[in-house]
């Protein structure tokens, strides 16, 4: 199984290098291990995170693409859909099948037709439009809902930190 996962990851890496999505750089940490990737995601224009450069890690299971990777930001980022430890919580990264909580449809969850590029583009969309209904970071969701000014201040502090300022 790891052999087909490796082939798939190598193909996706090639595609990302030939046609990288705007504002995203991603690839294996080193070419000895295609199951650990790093990514740099630029904060989307016109959002609270504009101008930031946010590093993240993707860890792929040996049965990829049957199972989704795990994604974690390796910098501080205050967002309703990112756990305080950096783990990303979006539907596309949830195991395939029905949601035991009944919140997501199986079509929203992981399926083998997804790709690294689709994951990263989903994360960019998530940065632009948080889902405060399904919060990984309750404080960020509460701030997003109740005090947008404070949320903006914290997000802009995060942007400056991401740039080492």
């Amino acid at each position: 199984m790891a052999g087909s996962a490796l082939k798939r990851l190598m193909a996706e890496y090639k595609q990302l290098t030939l046609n990288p999505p705007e504002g995203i750089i991603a690839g294996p940490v080193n070419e000895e291990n295609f199951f650990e990737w790093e990514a740099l995601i630029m904060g989307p224009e016109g959002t609270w995170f504009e101008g930031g450069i946010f590093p993240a890690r993707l860890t792929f299971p040996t049965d990829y693409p049957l199972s989704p990777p795990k994604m974690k930001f390796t910098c501080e980022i205050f967002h309703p859909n990112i756990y305080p430890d950096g783990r990303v919580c979006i539907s596309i990264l949830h195991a395939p099948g029905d949601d035991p909580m009944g919140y997501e449809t199986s079509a929203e969850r992981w399926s083998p037709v997804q790709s690294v590029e689709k994951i990263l583009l989903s994360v960019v969309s998530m940065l632009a439009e948080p889902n405060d209904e399904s919060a990984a970071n309750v404080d960020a969701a509460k701030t997003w809902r109740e005090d947008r000014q404070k949320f903006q201040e914290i997000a802009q502090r995060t942007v400056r930190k991401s740039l080492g300022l």
Side-chain angles (χ1 to χ4, degrees):
M1 187 61 80
S4 59
L6 178 60
K7 284 181 190 164
R8 168 79 180 256
L9 287 167
M10 290 173 82
E12 289 193 43
Y13 176 52
K14 183 177 181 182
Q15 182 60 35
L16 280 171
T17 56
L18 293 174
N19 189 17
E22 189 175 326
I24 298 170
I25 300 170
V29 173
N30 68 60
E31 294 192 4
E32 310 285 307
N33 180 5
F34 267 77
F35 292 90
E36 289 287 331
W37 286 34
E38 54 193 354
L40 291 175
I41 298 174
M42 291 183 59
E45 283 185 35
T47 72
W48 314 93
F49 299 99
E50 181 175 358
I53 300 174
F54 304 101
R57 285 268 179 160
L58 290 113
T59 305
F60 296 87
T62 56
D63 68 344
Y64 180 81
L66 298 178
S67 297
K70 294 187 182 336
M71 184 172 177
K72 183 176 182 176
F73 280 96
T74 58
C75 64
E76 182 183 317
I77 186 162
F78 186 73
H79 189 282
N81 308 114
I82 301 171
Y83 287 99
D85 69 0
R87 287 177 295 134
V88 175
C89 181
I90 55 173
S91 301
I92 194 174
L93 291 175
H94 295 161
D98 292 326
D99 179 7
M101 307 300 272
Y103 179 74
E104 302 164 331
T105 67
S106 59
E108 294 172 298
R109 295 166 72 89
W110 179 258
S111 81
V113 299
Q114 306 294 2
S115 65
V116 176
E117 180 178 7
K118 287 179 184 173
I119 293 166
L120 295 171
L121 290 172
S122 294
V123 169
V124 169
S125 292
M126 175 202 75
L127 288 175
E129 298 174 31
N131 176 1
D132 63 354
E133 298 295 310
S134 175
N137 183 328
V138 176
D139 289 340
K142 188 174 188 304
T143 305
W144 170 258
R145 266 195 300 268
E146 297 174 6
D147 191 347
R148 291 283 170 99
Q149 178 69 36
K150 183 177 179 187
F151 186 89
Q152 180 179 5
E153 290 167 10
I154 295 169
Q156 289 175 340
R157 218 173 23 242
T158 303
V159 166
R160 286 191 302 276
K161 240 182 185 176
S162 82
L163 300 172
L165 302 175

